[in-house]
Amino acid sequence: MPGQIKNDDQPSTVIVIDDDPAVRASLGSLLRSVGFQVRLLESVGEFLESPPPDGPACLVLDVRLPGQSGLDFQRERATENSQLPIIFITGHGDIPMSVQAMKGGAVEFLTKPFRDQDLLDAVQVGLARNRAWLENEKTLAELRARFEALTPREREVMALVVTGRLNKQIAADLGVSEITVKVHRGQVMRKMRAASLPDLARMADRLQLTSEKGGSR
């Protein structure tokens, strides 16, 4: 049996879409043997009708499927900015098809029959990629929530502070006293949970505040 793959806190789900029942059963058995949750589907349509997975996930997708093909599905998902990693499997692959899949962001393109370990290695890469994206989205959502908790004036002060302007310059910009700016600045640091000005600047960059405010004054 391949080496055991460790999951993180959230269970990892591998979604297999293949119209061959024997292939689905074989891959399902392999993936479950190393601790993954598995969904076995026979078409893209069935996938689109199913609920999104909880936690990290990736797709093991046959290139040739009834209805929408795997490559067509990949192109469609790209226009939707989907971050669900895809591992292609096929019994009828060629180099142009492989190049198209990899240019589209596929984790791997495996030709049947392939080694179990090659698939498991690709799944690990796909899940790690999706896990990192989910964590980034979670962090960004928390930052947005903190920013929304600021008052309109505190948001203005934050946007100016991270550009490197001094308190007295910000006071002149906003038509308030320097003491008022200091108070707002302290509130911004506290509410955003920023340990330092560089830390606050990184938060502003992730929230794309610097690009909105840069050069406006």
Side-chain angles (χ1 to χ4, degrees), residues 138-162:
K138 178 182 176 182
T139 301
L140 190 54
E142 291 171 352
L143 280 180
R144 287 187 183 124
R146 292 179 208 166
F147 183 71
E148 290 300 316
L150 301 179
T151 66
R153 179 63 84 189
E154 288 166 352
R155 292 177 200 170
E156 287 183 305
V157 169
M158 176 176 171
L160 292 169
V161 164
V162 297

PDB file of all heavy atoms in Angstrom, residues 138-162:
ATOM      1  N   LYS A 138      -9.752  32.718   4.082  1.00  0.00           N
ATOM      2  CA  LYS A 138     -10.220  32.879   5.454  1.00  0.00           C
ATOM      3  C   LYS A 138      -9.562  34.086   6.111  1.00  0.00           C
ATOM      4  O   LYS A 138     -10.226  34.908   6.756  1.00  0.00           O
ATOM      5  CB  LYS A 138      -9.914  31.613   6.259  1.00  0.00           C
ATOM      6  CG  LYS A 138     -10.324  31.689   7.728  1.00  0.00           C
ATOM      7  CD  LYS A 138      -9.931  30.419   8.458  1.00  0.00           C
ATOM      8  CE  LYS A 138     -10.246  30.527   9.942  1.00  0.00           C
ATOM      9  NZ  LYS A 138      -9.823  29.318  10.688  1.00  0.00           N
ATOM     10  N   THR A 139      -8.247  34.211   5.940  1.00  0.00           N
ATOM     11  CA  THR A 139      -7.517  35.341   6.510  1.00  0.00           C
ATOM     12  C   THR A 139      -7.999  36.649   5.921  1.00  0.00           C
ATOM     13  O   THR A 139      -8.187  37.647   6.631  1.00  0.00           O
ATOM     14  CB  THR A 139      -6.010  35.184   6.252  1.00  0.00           C
ATOM     15  OG1 THR A 139      -5.563  33.960   6.843  1.00  0.00           O
ATOM     16  CG2 THR A 139      -5.222  36.335   6.844  1.00  0.00           C
ATOM     17  N   LEU A 140      -8.209  36.662   4.604  1.00  0.00           N
ATOM     18  CA  LEU A 140      -8.665  37.874   3.937  1.00  0.00           C
ATOM     19  C   LEU A 140     -10.063  38.263   4.406  1.00  0.00           C
ATOM     20  O   LEU A 140     -10.349  39.455   4.600  1.00  0.00           O
ATOM     21  CB  LEU A 140      -8.656  37.661   2.419  1.00  0.00           C
ATOM     22  CG  LEU A 140      -8.870  38.888   1.538  1.00  0.00           C
ATOM     23  CD1 LEU A 140      -7.877  39.993   1.891  1.00  0.00           C
ATOM     24  CD2 LEU A 140      -8.768  38.510   0.073  1.00  0.00           C
ATOM     25  N   ALA A 141     -10.933  37.295   4.609  1.00  0.00           N
ATOM     26  CA  ALA A 141     -12.282  37.575   5.103  1.00  0.00           C
ATOM     27  C   ALA A 141     -12.226  38.187   6.506  1.00  0.00           C
ATOM     28  O   ALA A 141     -12.988  39.110   6.825  1.00  0.00           O
ATOM     29  CB  ALA A 141     -13.116  36.295   5.119  1.00  0.00           C
ATOM     30  N   GLU A 142     -11.317  37.685   7.336  1.00  0.00           N
ATOM     31  CA  GLU A 142     -11.164  38.234   8.686  1.00  0.00           C
ATOM     32  C   GLU A 142     -10.648  39.668   8.633  1.00  0.00           C
ATOM     33  O   GLU A 142     -11.101  40.533   9.389  1.00  0.00           O
ATOM     34  CB  GLU A 142     -10.208  37.357   9.499  1.00  0.00           C
ATOM     35  CG  GLU A 142     -10.788  35.987   9.841  1.00  0.00           C
ATOM     36  CD  GLU A 142      -9.757  35.052  10.462  1.00  0.00           C
ATOM     37  OE1 GLU A 142      -8.554  35.425  10.486  1.00  0.00           O
ATOM     38  OE2 GLU A 142     -10.150  33.967  10.908  1.00  0.00           O
ATOM     39  N   LEU A 143      -9.700  39.933   7.727  1.00  0.00           N
ATOM     40  CA  LEU A 143      -9.183  41.294   7.566  1.00  0.00           C
ATOM     41  C   LEU A 143     -10.279  42.244   7.100  1.00  0.00           C
ATOM     42  O   LEU A 143     -10.396  43.372   7.587  1.00  0.00           O
ATOM     43  CB  LEU A 143      -8.036  41.311   6.557  1.00  0.00           C
ATOM     44  CG  LEU A 143      -6.656  40.879   7.039  1.00  0.00           C
ATOM     45  CD1 LEU A 143      -5.655  40.961   5.893  1.00  0.00           C
ATOM     46  CD2 LEU A 143      -6.179  41.741   8.201  1.00  0.00           C
ATOM     47  N   ARG A 144     -11.087  41.795   6.160  1.00  0.00           N
ATOM     48  CA  ARG A 144     -12.182  42.629   5.653  1.00  0.00           C
ATOM     49  C   ARG A 144     -13.173  42.954   6.768  1.00  0.00           C
ATOM     50  O   ARG A 144     -13.676  44.075   6.850  1.00  0.00           O
ATOM     51  CB  ARG A 144     -12.911  41.922   4.504  1.00  0.00           C
ATOM     52  CG  ARG A 144     -12.109  41.876   3.212  1.00  0.00           C
ATOM     53  CD  ARG A 144     -12.953  41.321   2.081  1.00  0.00           C
ATOM     54  NE  ARG A 144     -12.194  41.191   0.845  1.00  0.00           N
ATOM     55  CZ  ARG A 144     -12.048  40.077   0.157  1.00  0.00           C
ATOM     56  NH1 ARG A 144     -12.604  38.961   0.585  1.00  0.00           N
ATOM     57  NH2 ARG A 144     -11.350  40.055  -0.962  1.00  0.00           N
ATOM     58  N   ALA A 145     -13.450  41.945   7.610  1.00  0.00           N
ATOM     59  CA  ALA A 145     -14.379  42.163   8.722  1.00  0.00           C
ATOM     60  C   ALA A 145     -13.822  43.207   9.695  1.00  0.00           C
ATOM     61  O   ALA A 145     -14.558  44.068  10.184  1.00  0.00           O
ATOM     62  CB  ALA A 145     -14.651  40.841   9.437  1.00  0.00           C
ATOM     63  N   ARG A 146     -12.529  43.139   9.983  1.00  0.00           N
ATOM     64  CA  ARG A 146     -11.914  44.122  10.870  1.00  0.00           C
ATOM     65  C   ARG A 146     -11.970  45.515  10.250  1.00  0.00           C
ATOM     66  O   ARG A 146     -12.271  46.506  10.932  1.00  0.00           O
ATOM     67  CB  ARG A 146     -10.455  43.756  11.151  1.00  0.00           C
ATOM     68  CG  ARG A 146     -10.267  42.506  11.991  1.00  0.00           C
ATOM     69  CD  ARG A 146      -8.782  42.230  12.187  1.00  0.00           C
ATOM     70  NE  ARG A 146      -8.522  40.805  12.378  1.00  0.00           N
ATOM     71  CZ  ARG A 146      -7.328  40.263  12.310  1.00  0.00           C
ATOM     72  NH1 ARG A 146      -6.273  41.008  12.037  1.00  0.00           N
ATOM     73  NH2 ARG A 146      -7.166  38.965  12.493  1.00  0.00           N
ATOM     74  N   PHE A 147     -11.678  45.586   8.951  1.00  0.00           N
ATOM     75  CA  PHE A 147     -11.692  46.878   8.269  1.00  0.00           C
ATOM     76  C   PHE A 147     -13.100  47.466   8.269  1.00  0.00           C
ATOM     77  O   PHE A 147     -13.281  48.677   8.458  1.00  0.00           O
ATOM     78  CB  PHE A 147     -11.178  46.725   6.836  1.00  0.00           C
ATOM     79  CG  PHE A 147     -11.081  48.015   6.085  1.00  0.00           C
ATOM     80  CD1 PHE A 147     -10.110  48.953   6.401  1.00  0.00           C
ATOM     81  CD2 PHE A 147     -11.978  48.305   5.058  1.00  0.00           C
ATOM     82  CE1 PHE A 147     -10.022  50.156   5.718  1.00  0.00           C
ATOM     83  CE2 PHE A 147     -11.901  49.496   4.365  1.00  0.00           C
ATOM     84  CZ  PHE A 147     -10.920  50.427   4.690  1.00  0.00           C
ATOM     85  N   GLU A 148     -14.112  46.628   8.053  1.00  0.00           N
ATOM     86  CA  GLU A 148     -15.498  47.103   8.056  1.00  0.00           C
ATOM     87  C   GLU A 148     -15.915  47.609   9.431  1.00  0.00           C
ATOM     88  O   GLU A 148     -16.846  48.420   9.538  1.00  0.00           O
ATOM     89  CB  GLU A 148     -16.440  45.978   7.603  1.00  0.00           C
ATOM     90  CG  GLU A 148     -16.320  45.620   6.129  1.00  0.00           C
ATOM     91  CD  GLU A 148     -16.637  46.787   5.216  1.00  0.00           C
ATOM     92  OE1 GLU A 148     -17.620  47.501   5.467  1.00  0.00           O
ATOM     93  OE2 GLU A 148     -15.888  46.989   4.235  1.00  0.00           O
ATOM     94  N   ALA A 149     -15.234  47.121  10.483  1.00  0.00           N
ATOM     95  CA  ALA A 149     -15.554  47.559  11.841  1.00  0.00           C
ATOM     96  C   ALA A 149     -14.987  48.950  12.140  1.00  0.00           C
ATOM     97  O   ALA A 149     -15.354  49.571  13.150  1.00  0.00           O
ATOM     98  CB  ALA A 149     -15.022  46.555  12.860  1.00  0.00           C
ATOM     99  N   LEU A 150     -14.099  49.458  11.286  1.00  0.00           N
ATOM    100  CA  LEU A 150     -13.562  50.805  11.475  1.00  0.00           C
ATOM    101  C   LEU A 150     -14.613  51.846  11.106  1.00  0.00           C
ATOM    102  O   LEU A 150     -15.464  51.613  10.251  1.00  0.00           O
ATOM    103  CB  LEU A 150     -12.323  51.015  10.592  1.00  0.00           C
ATOM    104  CG  LEU A 150     -11.116  50.086  10.780  1.00  0.00           C
ATOM    105  CD1 LEU A 150     -10.022  50.468   9.793  1.00  0.00           C
ATOM    106  CD2 LEU A 150     -10.596  50.146  12.209  1.00  0.00           C
ATOM    107  N   THR A 151     -14.527  53.012  11.736  1.00  0.00           N
ATOM    108  CA  THR A 151     -15.387  54.118  11.334  1.00  0.00           C
ATOM    109  C   THR A 151     -14.878  54.679  10.007  1.00  0.00           C
ATOM    110  O   THR A 151     -13.720  54.446   9.632  1.00  0.00           O
ATOM    111  CB  THR A 151     -15.380  55.239  12.391  1.00  0.00           C
ATOM    112  OG1 THR A 151     -14.052  55.808  12.436  1.00  0.00           O
ATOM    113  CG2 THR A 151     -15.747  54.706  13.770  1.00  0.00           C
ATOM    114  N   PRO A 152     -15.716  55.423   9.293  1.00  0.00           N
ATOM    115  CA  PRO A 152     -15.244  56.028   8.032  1.00  0.00           C
ATOM    116  C   PRO A 152     -13.973  56.859   8.223  1.00  0.00           C
ATOM    117  O   PRO A 152     -13.063  56.810   7.387  1.00  0.00           O
ATOM    118  CB  PRO A 152     -16.429  56.894   7.597  1.00  0.00           C
ATOM    119  CG  PRO A 152     -17.622  56.172   8.147  1.00  0.00           C
ATOM    120  CD  PRO A 152     -17.163  55.647   9.477  1.00  0.00           C
ATOM    121  N   ARG A 153     -13.887  57.613   9.320  1.00  0.00           N
ATOM    122  CA  ARG A 153     -12.703  58.441   9.572  1.00  0.00           C
ATOM    123  C   ARG A 153     -11.483  57.561   9.840  1.00  0.00           C
ATOM    124  O   ARG A 153     -10.376  57.848   9.367  1.00  0.00           O
ATOM    125  CB  ARG A 153     -12.947  59.375  10.750  1.00  0.00           C
ATOM    126  CG  ARG A 153     -11.756  60.253  11.105  1.00  0.00           C
ATOM    127  CD  ARG A 153     -11.406  61.205   9.961  1.00  0.00           C
ATOM    128  NE  ARG A 153     -12.217  62.404  10.007  1.00  0.00           N
ATOM    129  CZ  ARG A 153     -12.247  63.318   9.054  1.00  0.00           C
ATOM    130  NH1 ARG A 153     -11.513  63.162   7.957  1.00  0.00           N
ATOM    131  NH2 ARG A 153     -13.007  64.387   9.156  1.00  0.00           N
ATOM    132  N   GLU A 154     -11.677  56.463  10.588  1.00  0.00           N
ATOM    133  CA  GLU A 154     -10.562  55.562  10.863  1.00  0.00           C
ATOM    134  C   GLU A 154     -10.044  54.913   9.578  1.00  0.00           C
ATOM    135  O   GLU A 154      -8.842  54.716   9.418  1.00  0.00           O
ATOM    136  CB  GLU A 154     -10.988  54.489  11.871  1.00  0.00           C
ATOM    137  CG  GLU A 154     -11.155  55.031  13.295  1.00  0.00           C
ATOM    138  CD  GLU A 154     -11.889  54.078  14.222  1.00  0.00           C
ATOM    139  OE1 GLU A 154     -12.419  53.045  13.734  1.00  0.00           O
ATOM    140  OE2 GLU A 154     -11.958  54.372  15.432  1.00  0.00           O
ATOM    141  N   ARG A 155     -10.942  54.624   8.655  1.00  0.00           N
ATOM    142  CA  ARG A 155     -10.515  54.060   7.369  1.00  0.00           C
ATOM    143  C   ARG A 155      -9.676  55.076   6.596  1.00  0.00           C
ATOM    144  O   ARG A 155      -8.681  54.710   5.961  1.00  0.00           O
ATOM    145  CB  ARG A 155     -11.736  53.650   6.541  1.00  0.00           C
ATOM    146  CG  ARG A 155     -12.508  52.476   7.122  1.00  0.00           C
ATOM    147  CD  ARG A 155     -13.737  52.191   6.291  1.00  0.00           C
ATOM    148  NE  ARG A 155     -14.704  51.410   7.062  1.00  0.00           N
ATOM    149  CZ  ARG A 155     -15.945  51.170   6.671  1.00  0.00           C
ATOM    150  NH1 ARG A 155     -16.383  51.657   5.517  1.00  0.00           N
ATOM    151  NH2 ARG A 155     -16.764  50.462   7.424  1.00  0.00           N
ATOM    152  N   GLU A 156     -10.099  56.324   6.635  1.00  0.00           N
ATOM    153  CA  GLU A 156      -9.319  57.379   5.967  1.00  0.00           C
ATOM    154  C   GLU A 156      -7.920  57.486   6.572  1.00  0.00           C
ATOM    155  O   GLU A 156      -6.923  57.585   5.853  1.00  0.00           O
ATOM    156  CB  GLU A 156     -10.030  58.723   6.094  1.00  0.00           C
ATOM    157  CG  GLU A 156     -11.265  58.876   5.225  1.00  0.00           C
ATOM    158  CD  GLU A 156     -11.861  60.268   5.361  1.00  0.00           C
ATOM    159  OE1 GLU A 156     -12.167  60.691   6.492  1.00  0.00           O
ATOM    160  OE2 GLU A 156     -12.023  60.947   4.340  1.00  0.00           O
ATOM    161  N   VAL A 157      -7.866  57.469   7.905  1.00  0.00           N
ATOM    162  CA  VAL A 157      -6.578  57.578   8.595  1.00  0.00           C
ATOM    163  C   VAL A 157      -5.699  56.380   8.249  1.00  0.00           C
ATOM    164  O   VAL A 157      -4.508  56.540   7.959  1.00  0.00           O
ATOM    165  CB  VAL A 157      -6.779  57.681  10.123  1.00  0.00           C
ATOM    166  CG1 VAL A 157      -5.457  57.533  10.864  1.00  0.00           C
ATOM    167  CG2 VAL A 157      -7.430  59.018  10.475  1.00  0.00           C
ATOM    168  N   MET A 158      -6.281  55.191   8.259  1.00  0.00           N
ATOM    169  CA  MET A 158      -5.501  53.993   7.932  1.00  0.00           C
ATOM    170  C   MET A 158      -4.912  54.096   6.528  1.00  0.00           C
ATOM    171  O   MET A 158      -3.725  53.802   6.312  1.00  0.00           O
ATOM    172  CB  MET A 158      -6.378  52.739   8.052  1.00  0.00           C
ATOM    173  CG  MET A 158      -5.660  51.462   7.627  1.00  0.00           C
ATOM    174  SD  MET A 158      -6.673  49.986   7.891  1.00  0.00           S
ATOM    175  CE  MET A 158      -5.685  48.739   7.043  1.00  0.00           C
ATOM    176  N   ALA A 159      -5.749  54.501   5.564  1.00  0.00           N
ATOM    177  CA  ALA A 159      -5.288  54.590   4.181  1.00  0.00           C
ATOM    178  C   ALA A 159      -4.132  55.565   4.023  1.00  0.00           C
ATOM    179  O   ALA A 159      -3.238  55.359   3.201  1.00  0.00           O
ATOM    180  CB  ALA A 159      -6.441  54.982   3.269  1.00  0.00           C
ATOM    181  N   LEU A 160      -4.118  56.623   4.843  1.00  0.00           N
ATOM    182  CA  LEU A 160      -3.044  57.616   4.771  1.00  0.00           C
ATOM    183  C   LEU A 160      -1.817  57.184   5.567  1.00  0.00           C
ATOM    184  O   LEU A 160      -0.677  57.396   5.136  1.00  0.00           O
ATOM    185  CB  LEU A 160      -3.557  58.973   5.275  1.00  0.00           C
ATOM    186  CG  LEU A 160      -4.604  59.637   4.365  1.00  0.00           C
ATOM    187  CD1 LEU A 160      -5.252  60.815   5.066  1.00  0.00           C
ATOM    188  CD2 LEU A 160      -3.969  60.073   3.050  1.00  0.00           C
ATOM    189  N   VAL A 161      -2.045  56.561   6.708  1.00  0.00           N
ATOM    190  CA  VAL A 161      -0.928  56.106   7.550  1.00  0.00           C
ATOM    191  C   VAL A 161      -0.034  55.133   6.785  1.00  0.00           C
ATOM    192  O   VAL A 161       1.196  55.223   6.842  1.00  0.00           O
ATOM    193  CB  VAL A 161      -1.463  55.440   8.844  1.00  0.00           C
ATOM    194  CG1 VAL A 161      -0.360  54.623   9.522  1.00  0.00           C
ATOM    195  CG2 VAL A 161      -1.991  56.496   9.812  1.00  0.00           C
ATOM    196  N   VAL A 162      -0.648  54.206   6.062  1.00  0.00           N
ATOM    197  CA  VAL A 162       0.142  53.166   5.400  1.00  0.00           C
ATOM    198  C   VAL A 162       0.911  53.694   4.186  1.00  0.00           C
ATOM    199  O   VAL A 162       1.764  52.995   3.643  1.00  0.00           O
ATOM    200  CB  VAL A 162      -0.737  51.964   4.988  1.00  0.00           C
ATOM    201  CG1 VAL A 162      -1.331  51.293   6.218  1.00  0.00           C
ATOM    202  CG2 VAL A 162      -1.819  52.379   3.996  1.00  0.00           C
TER     203      VAL A 162
END
